[in-house]
Amino acid sequence: ASQQASSGAALARQWMRRALLASLISSTAGMAASKPPIVIAGAGLHGSALAYYLTKRGEKPILVERHAVAAAASGKGGGFLARDWGEGSVTNQLHQVGFALHEELASELDLTSYRRIPVLSISPGQKSARTRTDLCPDWLDGDFEQARMMDADGGAQVAPLELCTKLADAAVANGATLRIGTVQGIRTRPSAAGASGVASSESDPLEEVCGVVVDGEEIECSAFVVTMGPWACLAQDWFDMPVPMTGIKSTSVVFRASEGVQVIWTQ
């Protein structure tokens, strides 16, 4: 059963990668040197990872970032990874593939912050005779009602800033260009009917992006990808379409420790 699960996860990982890249690169895009580059706006986790994997396909994308790689949320998260927390949900396969992919990247990019960790679940409250104190580290000295090992083998952690930086550095080493600048707009042209799988009409003609304006300079491109996080809403002016953006409040506390610690999940 474990061999079948491992084989299934490997096949799922291959399928996910192919599907992602196929959605971004048209089937007619060749590797000719004259083909304009793919331009990516935003060098957070999505943009840096996309640039990295595109270079592995032979592309030489231009990664445009206003400030620095992982300057916002992508460089400041807790970097917690959970392999099995999607069980029973439609995203379960994505959890499995994503967890394995991070472990591969840790090896490929020599991520020094990556580590596998057990996950301990703690419920606040008064201790009782049934409270499992034997599972807890010495530094957890507050009151808690319950403690259980939530995941002994399916947790991991990586410093997001290191991950994003090394993805971007590897992409540049493979031929990508990192440009510090501000995307100000796009240039479009009529799209060939049916090229995108959607029929065009005289009343509603299709257009495709053929250029990106960065700091007043127009850069010709074969595709344009917006990976700007919450700033993606700026693209609604470029595409003349609504780009709704809503927030989800969450808290991630990151602290330095003198020795390795477990991940604690509080309820």
Side-chain angles (χ1 to χ4, degrees), residues 45-63:
L45 180 56
H46 290 165
S48 298
L50 176 59
Y52 173 68
Y53 283 108
L54 283 174
T55 60
K56 296 186 74 171
R57 298 272 297 197
E59 299 284 346
K60 299 183 183 300
I62 297 177
L63 183 60

Side-chain angles (χ1 to χ4, degrees), residues 108-131:
E108 290 179 16
L109 303 176
D110 190 25
L111 299 177
T112 58
S113 64
Y114 178 84
R115 58 177 183 158
R116 295 290 290 271
I117 49 177
V119 182
L120 186 65
S121 176
I122 299 295
S123 297
Q126 294 295 321
K127 293 180 181 178
S128 68
R130 293 179 297 177
T131 303

Side-chain angles (χ1 to χ4, degrees), residues 190-211:
S191 176
S196 61
V198 181
S200 180
S201 66
E202 293 184 2
S203 61
D204 187 21
L206 291 176
E207 294 186 338
E208 61 184 13
V209 178
C210 59

Side-chain angles (χ1 to χ4, degrees), residues 45 48-49 69-70 74 81 101-102 105-106 109 111 113 158-169:
L45 180 56
S48 298
V69 174
S74 288
L81 307 168
L101 184 61
H102 278 83
L105 286 173
L109 303 176
L111 299 177
S113 64
V158 64
L161 180 60
E162 183 193 18
L163 174 59
C164 293
T165 300
K166 288 191 174 180
L167 281 168
D169 288 347

Side-chain angles (χ1 to χ4, degrees), residues 46-265:
H46 290 165
S48 298
L50 176 59
Y52 173 68
Y53 283 108
L54 283 174
T55 60
K56 296 186 74 171
R57 298 272 297 197
E59 299 284 346
K60 299 183 183 300
I62 297 177
L63 183 60
V64 182
E65 167 57 44
R66 175 179 283 188
H67 298 293
V69 174
S74 288
K76 297 178 174 62
F80 178 61
L81 307 168
R83 183 188 60 201
D84 302 319
W85 289 19
E87 288 186 351
S89 73
V90 295
T91 60
N92 181 47
Q93 193 176 59
L94 185 60
H95 280 75
Q96 301 282 334
V97 172
F99 190 87
L101 184 61
H102 278 83
E103 192 162 44
E104 290 180 11
L105 286 173
S107 176
E108 290 179 16
L109 303 176
D110 190 25
L111 299 177
T112 58
S113 64
Y114 178 84
R115 58 177 183 158
R116 295 290 290 271
I117 49 177
V119 182
L120 186 65
S121 176
I122 299 295
S123 297
Q126 294 295 321
K127 293 180 181 178
S128 68
R130 293 179 297 177
T131 303
R132 292 285 306 275
T133 58
D134 59 304
L135 297 175
C136 302
D138 295 337
W139 52 265
L140 188 62
D141 54 5
D143 289 333
F144 54 91
E145 181 181 5
Q146 293 181 0
R148 65 182 179 87
M149 188 57 66
M150 189 171 185
D151 205 333
D153 185 53
Q157 188 178 32
V158 64
L161 180 60
E162 183 193 18
L163 174 59
C164 293
T165 300
K166 288 191 174 180
L167 281 168
D169 288 347
V172 171
N174 290 343
T177 299
L178 174 62
R179 174 164 175 170
I180 302 301
T182 302
V183 175
Q184 298 170 316
I186 60 174
R187 181 169 63 86
T188 63
R189 64 188 174 199
S191 176
S196 61
V198 181
S200 180
S201 66
E202 293 184 2
S203 61
D204 187 21
L206 291 176
E207 294 186 338
E208 61 184 13
V209 178
C210 59
V212 180
V213 181
V214 179
D215 293 335
E217 177 190 352
E218 183 178 307
I219 302 175
E220 188 178 8
C221 67
S222 59
F224 177 49
V225 187
V226 178
T227 58
M228 295 164 52
W231 291 275
C233 59
L234 297 174
Q236 61 188 5
D237 294 331
W238 309 337
F239 298 113
D240 191 26
M241 60 180 289
V243 180
M245 188 64 59
T246 58
I248 299 176
K249 183 179 180 180
S250 61
T251 302
S252 178
V253 180
V254 182
F255 60 93
R256 295 185 181 276
S258 58
E259 59 185 44
V261 298
Q262 294 173 306
V263 168
I264 305 295
W265 182 262

